[in-house]
Amino acid sequence: MKIHRLNIATFSIIFFFSLNAICQNTTIYQITPAINKKISKQFPSLFQIYHVKKQKIKYHEYEMGEVLSEEYKAQLDILDNERVDYDRYQKDQLNKVQKFKNDYKTCIDLIDKYLNSDENYEVKKEYLIQSKELLRTIPNIKVNYRNDSGGYGNQDAFVGYWDNFKSKPNKKGLIEVKESLVNFLKGVPDFEKPSSVTDYIIRLENLPKIKKTAPGLVESETESEREVALVDANIVDLDSLSGTFLSLPNEVSISNKNIGAPNINKSFLKNEIVESKNVEQFNKAYDDINAFRNAYMIEEVNTKEQYVIPIQNWAYFGHVTDCQKDIELLNILHELGFQEYKGSDDKTYIKTKTAEIELKENSQHLYYMLKENKSSLSSFDNDHIKLISLMKQCITYTSSLTDFNNIYEIKRGFTPVETINAWRTKAISANKLVGQIMDIRGKYAHIYSFSEIENSSPFQTFLDNSVKSNRALNLTY
């Protein structure tokens, strides 16, 4: 228990559960920044509390009008899904076609540059070499030109006819090659369209033939006003959440998005707290399991400010209750004159007249014990003293029980009846003492361990002989 590390002065007086709250099946929580920080340090993801604010908003109800027909809407959805392939095709086609055209235009421009140049042949032949090399990179394109023998070939002939243009090419033939390239450029074909692109184009062409609208509910032009409870999108700051809070009954539903629900003549804002009857109507009219999320609500009893916490984080308030009880326990102990301190093992203790009792964090056994009876620690001391006395009495039985066990080990079934009867009387008496010890041990087991006494060598010897005697005599504790 580490509450003592917190500045106790920062805590308000802990409120007990009022009769009114109990009757309404609600709980009151006393929350402070110190409690928030303590719990958040132990459970970092658990603190998710959001402020609720009420405000009036303008909105439009619904009335009969014209809406998109179901068939038209379905076609729009399909087109929207197919648009990705169509746009990709358009982009790829544009890039590839443009590259082809740019390459051929460059080839033509280089030939023109050669034909129009007054430079020495050795210099200007580089234009033809560049044009040939570029044309070589464009596959499977047939380009006609007239060669010296009067025949027609394709671009391959132009590429391979001259060996790096060591000899000056025929000007007329070169012009024909250029003209062939120009003619080819005019007829560069489109690429083959994928079926999804073809389908998209056909659907797009057929869209105007589908009836676009049908009678349905639309937003009214008349503006109305209503009050809404909106949940802040940001988590409350640890230091700002402080006060006495009442848990409100039942879960609340919060919208996850702006929702238009014309079928039930409702609309909800994102993060709006929605009445359960409206959620039920919405669920019947629409198939949207992600429209709402559930939470619990708390209210500060003085300011009436409200907050929500996601339903999966409600365990946070269980830890708040534990902290409240830890703090109240310290207050009770202080009233009784006890003072907590840290032991050499870094644990927190209080000292009674007979023992050191550890104050275990989030363990309310001592809390409930003192709430029921403020003199419980005095009773503990008395019982502790009694326990030590009982332990000593038990040890007085060790010698006789040991003797009886030794006799039985030797004689077994021939042990005299008188011996058995005396042994039984002694064992039953010993069992009564053990029972008294167990009662005291069980009474305080959750707040203190008597192991040091119970594990002492003399007591263990007595207990071993007592158990052995019970087995031999068929007795039970």
Side-chain angles (χ1 to χ4, degrees):
M1 182 173 187
K2 299 179 181 177
I3 284 293
H4 70 286
R5 292 185 177 180
L6 304 173
N7 185 353
I8 301 300
T10 62
F11 291 101
S12 303
I13 297 175
I14 302 301
F15 283 74
F16 292 100
F17 297 170
S18 67
L19 288 175
N20 185 45
I22 293 173
C23 291
Q24 295 179 12
N25 196 27
T26 58
T27 306
I28 289 180
Y29 301 99
Q30 183 70 25
I31 301 176
T32 70
I35 286 179
N36 291 333
K37 290 175 182 177
K38 177 178 182 291
I39 298 173
S40 295
K41 185 177 181 180
Q42 292 178 311
F43 310 97
S45 62
L46 202 56
F47 186 85
Q48 292 186 33
I49 301 177
Y50 304 85
H51 184 238
V52 177
K53 57 182 179 181
K54 293 183 179 179
Q55 65 183 66
K56 290 185 177 181
I57 62 165
K58 303 290 185 182
Y59 77 105
H60 296 270
E61 293 185 344
Y62 292 92
E63 61 185 13
M64 288 303 296
E66 289 291 315
V67 298
L68 286 179
S69 68
E70 291 300 321
E71 185 181 0
Y72 193 86
K73 194 187 303 181
Q75 289 300 312
L76 288 180
D77 290 341
I78 296 172
L79 284 170
D80 189 54
N81 290 331
E82 292 179 342
R83 189 187 303 277
V84 175
D85 288 344
Y86 177 79
D87 289 344
R88 186 186 299 116
Y89 164 76
Q90 288 290 86
K91 181 180 178 181
D92 291 347
Q93 182 194 46
L94 180 62
N95 290 340
K96 291 178 181 178
V97 170
Q98 195 60 48
K99 184 179 185 304
F100 283 143
K101 289 183 177 181
N102 288 343
D103 287 347
Y104 278 101
K105 189 173 183 304
T106 300
C107 290
I108 294 167
D109 290 343
L110 287 169
I111 294 172
D112 267 339
K113 198 170 184 180
Y114 170 86
L115 292 172
N116 297 325
S117 174
D118 294 330
E119 296 174 298
N120 181 280
Y121 174 69
E122 290 300 323
V123 176
K124 67 180 184 178
K125 74 176 183 180
E126 288 298 321
Y127 302 137
L128 297 180
I129 293 173
Q130 292 176 26
S131 179
K132 183 189 74 168
E133 291 301 322
L134 178 59
L135 198 61
R136 191 201 302 272
T137 65
I138 307 174
N140 301 323
I141 303 299
K142 302 299 181 182
V143 182
N144 293 327
Y145 78 98
R146 188 179 182 84
N147 60 28
D148 286 348
S149 62
Y152 288 88
N154 55 35
Q155 72 180 58
D156 297 332
F158 171 63
V159 169
Y161 185 78
W162 293 285
D163 183 12
N164 292 326
F165 298 97
K166 291 179 181 178
S167 61
K168 193 174 182 178
N170 180 281
K171 183 176 181 179
K172 184 177 179 182
L174 196 58
I175 291 173
E176 288 182 355
V177 169
K178 187 193 90 167
E179 289 174 350
S180 295
L181 291 173
V182 171
N183 289 332
F184 171 77
L185 185 59
K186 292 177 182 177
V188 174
D190 289 336
F191 292 95
E192 184 179 353
K193 297 181 180 68
S195 59
S196 59
V197 173
T198 304
D199 290 345
Y200 177 84
I201 294 171
I202 293 173
R203 287 184 189 280
L204 198 61
E205 291 173 349
N206 289 335
L207 190 62
K209 301 175 185 178
I210 299 173
K211 188 175 181 181
K212 187 173 184 178
T213 62
L217 291 166
V218 297
E219 278 193 354
S220 170
E221 293 184 2
T222 304
E223 193 174 60
S224 303
E225 185 179 75
R226 65 185 176 93
E227 186 177 70
V228 297
L230 290 179
V231 178
D232 197 331
N234 299 314
I235 296 174
V236 174
D237 184 73
L238 291 169
D239 290 321
S240 65
L241 188 68
S242 182
T244 305
F245 294 85
L246 178 70
S247 66
L248 302 184
N250 304 323
E251 300 173 16
V252 296
S253 297
I254 304 169
S255 59
N256 288 323
K257 55 189 175 183
N258 292 333
I259 301 172
N263 290 357
I264 61 173
N265 196 22
K266 300 288 182 183
S267 62
F268 310 113
L269 296 179
K270 182 178 181 179
N271 291 328
E272 178 183 347
I273 295 178
V274 181
E275 292 182 23
S276 58
K277 64 179 182 180
N278 289 332
V279 174
E280 291 173 5
Q281 290 176 352
F282 179 88
N283 290 336
K284 289 179 181 178
Y286 300 92
D287 183 19
D288 188 354
I289 60 174
N290 298 315
F292 304 98
R293 62 188 186 275
N294 293 328
Y296 286 114
M297 183 176 287
I298 58 172
E299 181 179 273
E300 213 288 322
V301 297
N302 297 312
T303 65
K304 303 304 179 184
E305 291 291 321
Q306 294 182 334
Y307 300 82
V308 296
I309 183 168
I311 197 167
Q312 65 271 19
N313 293 78
W314 188 249
Y316 183 85
F317 288 100
H319 295 295
V320 170
T321 301
D322 289 341
C323 285
Q324 287 180 213
K325 292 175 181 176
D326 285 344
I327 296 166
E328 188 177 354
L329 172 59
L330 287 181
N331 289 337
I332 294 172
L333 290 171
H334 294 166
E335 290 174 8
L336 294 173
F338 295 97
Q339 185 61 50
E340 71 278 8
Y341 61 92
K342 188 184 295 186
S344 59
D345 56 1
D346 204 34
K347 296 178 181 179
T348 303
Y349 296 89
I350 59 166
K351 190 172 184 62
T352 70
K353 291 179 180 180
T354 63
E356 284 185 319
I357 295 179
E358 181 186 352
L359 300 184
K360 299 177 182 178
E361 195 169 56
N362 299 333
S363 176
Q364 279 85 48
H365 298 290
L366 182 57
Y367 166 80
Y368 286 114
M369 188 179 290
L370 290 173
K371 285 284 289 181
E372 184 177 347
N373 183 1
K374 291 287 181 66
S375 63
S376 293
L377 289 177
S378 295
S379 298
F380 166 80
D381 283 329
N382 293 333
D383 285 338
H384 194 181
I385 294 170
K386 181 180 178 181
L387 179 66
I388 295 172
S389 175
L390 291 173
M391 290 286 190
K392 292 177 179 178
Q393 291 180 46
C394 286
I395 295 172
T396 62
Y397 288 81
T398 301
S399 178
S400 56
L401 289 178
T402 301
D403 290 341
F404 284 126
N405 278 308
N406 290 336
I407 293 171
Y408 184 74
E409 285 290 333
I410 298 171
K411 296 189 176 183
R412 291 290 176 177
F414 299 101
T415 304
V417 175
E418 296 82 0
T419 303
I420 293 293
N421 290 337
W423 186 14
R424 185 184 302 275
T425 300
K426 184 66 71 172
I428 291 173
S429 183
N431 287 346
K432 289 179 181 179
L433 286 176
V434 173
Q436 290 178 288
I437 291 171
M438 297 300 290
D439 287 343
I440 295 175
R441 180 183 179 278
K443 184 177 179 181
Y444 302 104
H446 294 296
I447 70 166
Y448 187 76
S449 172
F450 297 101
S451 58
E452 184 176 346
I453 301 174
E454 293 176 340
N455 294 334
S456 65
S457 180
F459 178 72
Q460 280 299 321
T461 303
F462 157 76
L463 201 58
D464 290 343
N465 278 279
S466 176
V467 171
K468 189 182 293 186
S469 296
N470 288 335
R471 287 176 180 169
L473 298 169
N474 198 24
L475 297 175
T476 57
Y477 284 109

